[in-house]
Amino acid sequence: MATIETMTSQETMHLFDRYVIPNYKRYPISLVRGEGAYVWDAEGNRYLDLFPGWGCNLLGHCPPRVVEAVREQVGQLIHVPNTWYMEPQGRFAQQLSERSFGGQCFFCNSGAEAVEAAIKLARVHAGKGRYKIITCENGFHGRTLGALSATAQPKYHEGFEPLLAGFTYVPYNDLAAVARAIDEETCAVLVEPIQGEGGVNVPDPEYLPGLRRLCDEHRLLLVLDEVQTCMGRTGKWFAYQHYDMTPDIMTLAKALSGGIACGALVAEPNVAASLRPGMHASTFGGNPVATRAGIATIETIEEEGLLENVERLAARFRERLGRLQSPSGVVHQVRVRGVMIGIELAVDGTPVVAACMERRLLVNCTHSTVIRLLPPMNLTLDQCDEACDTLAEVIQKV
């Protein structure tokens, strides 16, 4: 087999300038290899990655069990359509069901696709005349037209109007606002249990149970977008498990298969029954490679005790980053739920991201002023301390 010579970052950038649509703002670095919490660029520089894969790489880069499962599977069966049965898909569905609320699974390839499926299922289950869905301000549900319509942030809507009709936006963490928005045409409430893109916003303890009660009272479906919070990100398999409630539907993606593209919808069996043959489909959804990777992801989390490690990391991040917080300083608030961390600044966070990158630390800024960290759940405490030291130094200089 012929080997491909590694280009320099500059050579790869020239290639993109010529052949790739420039719809992303990209950093001037070409990454070529990853292992655990680290990635390397074409020039051999190593970076500590606290935002691996935009949250997809919850096990870090190239987790060994996932790599081995994928290698084995691609030598057996790469893809067959969903007109056939596939053991890996059935086994993965069972594992997700048993670790959540006993629902049934529909598989797709991304979070946006999972949300689209949830929108369709909520409408068809409610029946004729009930089609409205309540969503929250500062939420984010994806870039496809239906998911974009469910996303209340106007900056994502520009240029794509008219959006899909039927979405009502209310403030997050406000039960009274949800109650006021319900009418006879409402079929569901769709909400993130923790808002990610909106700034790592953690709701009050009574919020999700309160939504459950409202939905029960008005015969609405409660749909939780767990795309960013699933697979142990918050210290439990799913974020709703921190509260005394269960959803009717939840959407999953990002970390679902250890970095391999995979999305899913999990629905209560009586709700799932409304999605009949011919109503919805996904060509690549639930393919053997992605679902084998998902099984290996669950095995890694359980066999390495990573849910417990998330709690240790959360405590360390909370303690270390909490020192930066002061009423009159640059850091207004630090929000930590498992390995989902938001550092709210009093200034623009873009220079912080750039300064961290210069020091070989990769972080993200969302909502303009929130430094967002989604580190791998197998990060070591030493790596955590190294990252916090760099962040402290950079933020203090800002």
Side-chain angles (χ1 to χ4, degrees), residues 232-306:
R233 167 71 66 191
T234 67
K236 294 186 181 294
W237 281 109
F238 306 100
Y240 81 83
Q241 292 169 335
H242 290 281
Y243 307 92
D244 184 21
M245 55 81 66
T246 56
D248 299 296
I249 300 171
M250 65 177 178
T251 59
L252 316 173
K254 287 197 181 291
L256 190 57
S257 288
I260 297 293
C262 187
L265 173 151
V266 183
E268 287 280 2
N270 65 313
V271 176
S274 295
L275 204 60
R276 299 183 298 278
M279 284 186 166
H280 197 59
S282 173
T283 298
F284 285 101
N287 68 76
V289 176
T291 49
R292 274 292 299 276
I295 293 166
T297 298
I298 289 176
E299 290 173 349
T300 299
I301 292 170
E302 293 186 335
E303 292 177 20
E304 297 184 11
L306 295 183

Side-chain angles (χ1 to χ4, degrees), residues 197-247:
E197 181 76 13
V200 189
N201 300 316
V202 181
D204 295 334
E206 64 273 13
Y207 182 62
L208 292 180
L211 288 179
R212 178 71 276 171
R213 288 192 297 273
L214 277 174
C215 289
D216 290 343
E217 289 169 8
H218 295 274
R219 297 187 302 110
L220 312 178
L221 295 182
L222 178 56
V223 185
L224 292 188
D225 183 336
E226 293 244 18
V227 166
Q228 196 167 124
T229 53
C230 68
M231 303 304 281
R233 167 71 66 191
T234 67
K236 294 186 181 294
W237 281 109
F238 306 100
Y240 81 83
Q241 292 169 335
H242 290 281
Y243 307 92
D244 184 21
M245 55 81 66
T246 56

